[in-house]
Amino acid sequence: MKSSHVVIIFLWVFALPLIMLMIREYLARKKDGTISNNNIFVSAGAGFIGNFCDALGIGSFAVITPILRATKNVDDRVLPGTLNAGCAVSVAIQGTVWMSDIGIETKTLVVTLICSVIGGFLGAFVVTKLDRNKVRVVMGVAFVIVAFILLSKQLGFFPNIGGEANGFHGTKLAAFAVLMGCFAALMNAGIGMYAPAMALCALMGLNLSYAFPLAAGGCCAMMPTAGIRSIVAKAIDIKVAMWMFLGSIPGVLIAALIVKSMPLTVLTWLVIFVLLYTSASMILAAKQNKGAGDHSAATEPSAE
């Protein structure tokens, strides 16, 4: 079996259980009257736009978060879980559409994906325990990092030349896999995985063509894991996540199958400025509410 087939199977093994759990949770919340009254058109539109941009290489969280916050369509406390659950399936679709034969060593691929699963779960476990203000601070800092990565790419500082290695062994493999696991954990806070994966591949001499399958596999291991954990912990707005998921499907397919590529320089600069603004607003909101008795624990029912 080709390594690309391994990754595609891996993507859907994690994505399908999340889809089933989301549908069950959505119907249960709707039946007992505890579902939120957030706007489905805003949610679907955010999923469409964000995942359209993600398929073109900008990232989804960086685009969706400002939309949801500007429209006040989701509580900040449940934002990380909602993003991960709502965008997880689009990564599986991207991987299925674009994955070609990878050529990476099976051992490196498997060990890296396993570490991504572990990192994603541990990161989700931590983030779902945070109160609203801590979520704001963590995501605010994360978005500054994302903006820095995008800025580095725009200014040409981002590493874009990899090596010829098709895998690692021993200590180097352990270091690579652990770092990819850390990237998966940080995705819970809004840091995308593709750009850091490209940088790591370049720095460690791995062929850059392997960055996408590794990142896609890691994302689709981490995001459903984080989404499921968030549903169990009640740290998600299931209505927003469900409609983001539905909106993401045409967004990804149009970008991947019809548009395929487009000039993104101006849009990327816009995303950088929006990210910095969103980061500042989240950190400022956390600072303003610190003394206002906002101690919402992650285990409390969300505003759904």
Side-chain angles (χ1 to χ4, degrees), residues 77-144:
R77 186 183 69 78
V78 298
L79 184 54
T82 303
L83 289 170
N84 280 310
C87 297
V89 179
S90 69
V91 178
I93 296 173
Q94 288 181 54
T96 303
V97 171
W98 280 338
M99 198 73 69
S100 58
D101 190 24
I102 302 171
I104 190 171
E105 284 188 359
T106 302
K107 184 178 180 180
T108 299
L109 177 65
V110 172
V111 172
T112 300
L113 294 180
I114 290 173
C115 284
S116 296
V117 174
I118 296 171
F121 177 78
L122 294 177
F125 187 82
V126 172
V127 170
T128 54
K129 293 289 184 181
L130 299 178
D131 63 32
R132 185 177 291 105
N133 279 343
K134 288 178 181 175
V135 168
R136 286 169 174 163
V137 171
V138 169
M139 292 196 72
V141 173
F143 284 152
V144 171

Side-chain angles (χ1 to χ4, degrees), residues 22 36 93 232:
M22 284 178 64
S36 70
I93 296 173
V232 172

